[in-house]
Amino acid sequence: MDEFENKSKQELAEEIRHLLEKVSILKGTCAHAYDISKRALIVSEELINYYYDNIPAYVYIKDSQSNYFFVNKSCERLFAMNREDLSKREYNDFDFFDVKMAERLREKDRFVLDTGESIEFEEVGQLLMAKGAEERHYLLLAFPLKDVEGNTVGVCGFSHDITRFKQVEKELQLMNKKLRLSQEELEKKNEELCRLSLTDSLTGLLNRRAIEPLAERAMARSRRSGYSVSLLIFDIDYFKQFNDQYGHVAGDRVLAAAAKEVGNSIRITDSIVRWGGEEFVVLATDTDLVQAVQLANKIRQVVAAISFEDMGGITVSVGLAQYNGKGDFRQWLKCADRALYQAKGRGRNCTVAYSDPLLGGG
């Protein structure tokens, strides 16, 4: 107070004038800053709209009642409407999509509003304004719009039309299915070709190409574990004369009948092949020489029981050899073949077992 009292009126007036000038400058500065902020806000809004209008997706915002209050340009084109129309009336999904799809979209909105969580999903439905009401596929991402207090007040969404993608995906699946079927068919044909390459067409038995791998495995097992394994060769007696008398068609009937009956009489663990012509080979596992002789005699009995009304009966001669753990398949087969030759020399319709070094048995 003393300070002010000691100053003249002129000095006080000068100080007040300077103070007013400072207030004026401050006011002008604040007004200028406000103007800049307002313009920045406008520019930011324009940038945001520019961004939303140029991204390759449908962008929209819905309120808590699932009514649209913002859409980007892509949505405007999709819905055949202007953004300004949202201020004139309320629009929702029932205005743009078929009822079922609109109901599903409403359920997704309700999930986001109730839980405050985002959700990604696919939808398929009809766009009402599309020509022919073609079904479209959409991939959607919906997430909550929250106020400053964290309350969910709306739903923001991004959507892509993936119809063409789904069509291509379906076409690829169809192509893959066709390729898979073709592959399976090719595998079946290859299996059939493989089977045919190892099968005798007349009798349905394995052919001579199939017996060697089977025999090699049986021989290896015998060498490794000491199991007995025997090889039998039999052929139909006087078959050439039979063919000459009754013809090749009748001869084929005899071969097929013999193959069938012998095949049915041996164990499932044994193998029978048509070696060629009227000759057959049997690989008998877990079978020693004595057991092989018994099997050979059984085969002769089975064949002798076959009767043809117009041709009578047939017989077979059998030669056999037990594997001795040495040599290869060809050597083993040669031993059985020598025994067969001996059986034919004894008048046929008999069994001979090979013994090293001389033939014996009968």
Side-chain angles (χ1 to χ4, degrees), residues 233-248:
I233 302 180
F234 70 90
D235 68 8
I236 298 174
D237 297 327
Y238 305 107
F239 187 73
K240 185 179 183 303
Q241 293 91 319
F242 190 94
N243 263 345
D244 292 342
Q245 181 178 355
Y246 296 104
H248 291 286

Side-chain angles (χ1 to χ4, degrees), residues 2-273:
D2 292 339
E3 183 180 351
F4 280 96
E5 287 179 351
N6 293 331
K7 291 182 179 181
S8 63
K9 291 181 179 180
Q10 184 178 359
E11 290 173 334
L12 290 173
E14 187 68 20
E15 287 186 4
I16 292 171
R17 184 177 64 80
H18 284 299
L19 183 60
L20 290 173
E21 287 178 356
K22 290 180 180 181
V23 170
S24 177
I25 291 171
L26 181 61
K27 182 179 179 181
T29 300
C30 291
H32 181 64
Y34 174 76
D35 184 58
I36 291 174
S37 299
K38 184 177 180 181
R39 283 182 296 177
L41 183 63
I42 293 172
V43 171
S44 297
E45 185 177 353
E46 290 177 351
L47 285 174
I48 291 172
N49 286 337
Y50 178 82
Y51 167 74
Y52 282 141
D53 287 340
N54 286 276
I55 61 174
Y58 304 118
V59 183
Y60 57 86
I61 301 176
K62 299 177 184 178
D63 61 21
S64 59
Q65 303 301 316
S66 291
N67 295 316
Y68 289 92
F69 67 86
F70 173 81
V71 293
N72 69 345
K73 290 293 184 182
S74 295
C75 275
E76 285 185 320
R77 290 189 291 269
L78 181 69
F79 294 156
M81 59 172 290
N82 295 317
R83 197 151 45 205
E84 291 75 15
D85 294 339
L86 298 178
S87 61
K88 299 175 184 178
R89 56 157 289 191
E90 292 180 344
Y91 288 91
N92 56 50
D93 291 312
F94 289 92
D95 294 304
F96 307 119
F97 301 103
D98 66 85
V99 174
K100 291 184 178 179
M101 181 174 176
E103 289 175 344
R104 292 193 298 269
L105 291 172
R106 180 67 62 88
E107 291 177 1
K108 298 297 191 300
D109 290 345
R110 183 47 48 194
F111 172 84
V112 175
L113 291 166
D114 292 343
T115 65
E117 297 179 1
S118 301
I119 184 173
E120 182 176 338
F121 58 99
E122 290 186 18
E123 271 298 341
V124 56
Q126 296 177 347
L127 190 66
L128 298 181
M129 56 287 304
K131 293 182 179 180
E134 177 188 5
E135 281 194 341
R136 310 294 296 180
H137 291 256
Y138 300 94
L139 176 64
L140 301 98
L141 171 64
F143 55 92
L145 177 66
K146 299 186 178 183
D147 59 19
V148 293
E149 296 178 352
N151 299 312
T152 301
V153 295
V155 178
C156 297
F158 289 81
S159 176
H160 289 274
D161 189 327
I162 58 172
T163 304
R164 181 54 187 159
F165 171 80
K166 287 294 185 180
Q167 291 172 344
V168 172
E169 183 181 53
K170 186 175 181 180
E171 291 170 2
L172 287 174
Q173 290 175 347
L174 183 60
M175 290 176 61
N176 286 334
K177 183 178 180 180
K178 289 181 178 179
L179 286 173
R180 187 170 61 254
L181 292 174
S182 297
Q183 181 67 25
E184 291 174 356
E185 186 66 23
L186 181 60
E187 290 175 357
K188 288 180 180 179
K189 288 186 179 298
N190 285 336
E191 290 175 0
E192 180 65 13
L193 287 173
C194 182
R195 186 188 67 79
L196 290 174
S197 71
L198 299 175
T199 303
D200 175 61
S201 59
L202 174 63
T203 63
L205 298 178
L206 295 175
N207 61 26
R208 64 190 303 160
R209 283 191 294 269
I211 188 61
E212 190 163 353
L214 296 174
E216 292 289 351
R217 286 196 292 270
M219 293 160 66
R221 179 172 177 260
S222 177
R223 289 192 297 266
R224 182 175 62 252
S225 304
Y227 289 103
S228 301
V229 57
S230 295
L231 201 64
L232 295 79
I233 302 180
F234 70 90
D235 68 8
I236 298 174
D237 297 327
Y238 305 107
F239 187 73
K240 185 179 183 303
Q241 293 91 319
F242 190 94
N243 263 345
D244 292 342
Q245 181 178 355
Y246 296 104
H248 291 286
V249 174
D252 288 347
R253 285 175 57 199
V254 169
L255 291 171
K260 179 181 178 182
E261 295 302 324
V262 175
N264 290 336
S265 68
I266 63 176
R267 299 170 302 177
I268 192 171
T269 54
D270 298 335
S271 301
I272 178 172
V273 304

Side-chain angles (χ1 to χ4, degrees), residues 291-332:
Q291 294 168 325
V293 170
Q294 294 173 348
L295 176 60
N297 289 330
K298 179 181 178 181
I299 289 173
R300 290 197 301 112
Q301 292 170 3
V302 166
V303 174
I306 301 173
S307 177
F308 302 94
E309 292 182 1
D310 51 344
M311 297 180 292
I314 56 175
T315 61
V316 296
S317 301
V318 185
L320 60 94
Q322 180 181 343
Y323 180 60
N324 63 4
K326 300 176 183 179
D328 58 20
F329 170 70
R330 291 291 169 176
Q331 292 171 314
W332 184 23

